[in-house]
Amino acid sequence: MAALLSAASACFVEKGFDATTMTEIASRAEASIGSLYQFFPTKEAVAEALMTHHASGLNEAMERLVAQTPDWTTEELAARLIRAFVDYRKQHPAFATLAETAGSLPSLLGRTIRQRMRDYLSQIIAIHAPGIAAGELRPAAMVVQQFMKAAVALDSEQPATLRKAAQNQLQQALSLYLRELASR
């Protein structure tokens, strides 16, 4: 099954979800199409299994951030949040491909992954901004999540010197936002 998921991951990154076929996944895994269908009845089931696996890894990374966050300054927190998301998506390109593909996954799974990320971000914000009202945590987590997504988008910009400068500015903006939340 691991070989099938690895092959699917590579196919989704190379061709996109819509253009990838079950036959290509089986061929790349050097498995029979019957073996693929034995484990995954549809391409959507393959994508869901991949996303579930990647979400688990992302959850582990976020749990580590939650545990480490009390020791960081606001500037360190901003840098680490952005870096964590950019690095994770670089290391798992199929996650990014599938997360960005409309209709590739059951909407419930996508919402669940997004909500879990916001749960972690809410915990992190609560640690750094203990005075923030409970009703403000979720909207703040949503804003921080958008900063992190913007960092991923900026990571592919060229030339590298402009990309780095833009990422630094985004990190400064996130740091200012987090500092403002902490002052409440």
Side-chain angles (χ1 to χ4, degrees), residues 43-151:
K43 184 170 61 169
E44 288 76 11
V46 175
E48 186 172 341
L50 269 174
M51 285 299 290
T52 299
H53 172 73
H54 288 313
S56 176
L58 183 58
N59 289 342
E60 290 171 11
M62 291 304 295
E63 286 170 8
R64 285 190 299 275
L65 285 175
V66 170
Q68 296 168 342
T69 193
D71 300 329
W72 297 332
T73 66
T74 302
E75 291 75 21
E76 288 174 307
L77 175 61
R80 290 181 187 246
L81 283 173
I82 285 175
R83 217 46 267 155
F85 208 56
V86 168
D87 289 349
Y88 192 82
R89 292 197 48 171
K90 269 187 184 176
Q91 293 166 3
H92 303 91
F95 178 78
T97 299
L98 293 172
E100 310 286 319
T101 304
S104 66
L105 296 171
S107 60
L108 180 60
L109 178 59
R111 277 195 309 270
T112 300
I113 293 168
R114 212 171 20 261
Q115 294 306 321
R116 188 68 187 127
M117 173 65 73
R118 290 175 185 168
D119 291 343
Y120 287 120
L121 292 171
S122 293
Q123 291 174 46
I124 289 169
I125 292 166
I127 291 167
H128 277 271
I132 192 169
E136 293 182 50
L137 277 174
R138 197 57 156 203
M142 293 167 70
V143 170
V144 171
Q145 187 177 34
Q146 293 304 314
F147 271 104
M148 294 166 77
K149 288 171 76 173

